[in-house]
Short mmCIF file of all heavy atoms in Angstrom, two decimals:
data_model
loop_
_atom_site.label_atom_id
_atom_site.label_comp_id
_atom_site.label_asym_id
_atom_site.label_seq_id
_atom_site.Cartn_x
_atom_site.Cartn_y
_atom_site.Cartn_z
N GLY A 799 90.52 81.63 97.02
CA GLY A 799 89.60 82.03 95.96
C GLY A 799 89.38 80.88 95.00
O GLY A 799 90.29 80.46 94.31
N ASP A 801 88.68 78.91 91.74
CA ASP A 801 88.94 79.27 90.36
C ASP A 801 87.73 78.98 89.49
O ASP A 801 87.15 77.90 89.52
CB ASP A 801 90.11 78.46 89.80
CG ASP A 801 91.40 78.75 90.53
OD1 ASP A 801 91.38 78.88 91.77
OD2 ASP A 801 92.41 78.81 89.85
N HIS A 831 101.67 92.36 91.45
CA HIS A 831 100.31 92.86 91.24
C HIS A 831 100.18 93.28 89.78
O HIS A 831 101.18 93.44 89.08
CB HIS A 831 100.06 94.06 92.18
CG HIS A 831 98.64 94.48 92.25
ND1 HIS A 831 97.62 93.60 92.54
CD2 HIS A 831 98.04 95.70 92.11
CE1 HIS A 831 96.45 94.25 92.55
NE2 HIS A 831 96.69 95.53 92.30
N LEU A 840 92.60 101.48 87.77
CA LEU A 840 91.29 101.91 87.25
C LEU A 840 91.30 101.94 85.74
O LEU A 840 90.35 101.47 85.09
CB LEU A 840 90.96 103.29 87.81
CG LEU A 840 89.58 103.86 87.44
CD1 LEU A 840 88.47 102.93 87.91
CD2 LEU A 840 89.40 105.25 88.05
N GLU A 857 91.27 96.11 70.69
CA GLU A 857 92.19 97.18 70.26
C GLU A 857 92.48 98.13 71.42
O GLU A 857 93.62 98.56 71.62
CB GLU A 857 91.59 97.94 69.08
CG GLU A 857 92.53 99.00 68.52
CD GLU A 857 91.95 99.69 67.30
OE1 GLU A 857 90.95 99.18 66.73
OE2 GLU A 857 92.51 100.74 66.90
N HIS A 879 103.66 79.94 84.74
CA HIS A 879 103.63 79.09 85.93
C HIS A 879 102.18 78.70 86.23
O HIS A 879 101.55 79.29 87.14
CB HIS A 879 104.23 79.81 87.14
CG HIS A 879 105.63 80.30 86.93
ND1 HIS A 879 105.92 81.48 86.25
CD2 HIS A 879 106.82 79.78 87.30
CE1 HIS A 879 107.23 81.64 86.21
NE2 HIS A 879 107.80 80.63 86.83
N ALA A 952 109.96 85.21 105.47
CA ALA A 952 110.17 86.63 105.21
C ALA A 952 111.39 86.77 104.32
O ALA A 952 112.51 86.43 104.72
CB ALA A 952 110.38 87.40 106.51
#
Side-chain angles (χ1 to χ4, degrees):
D801 297 41
H831 192 52
L840 183 59
E857 184 176 347
H879 303 81

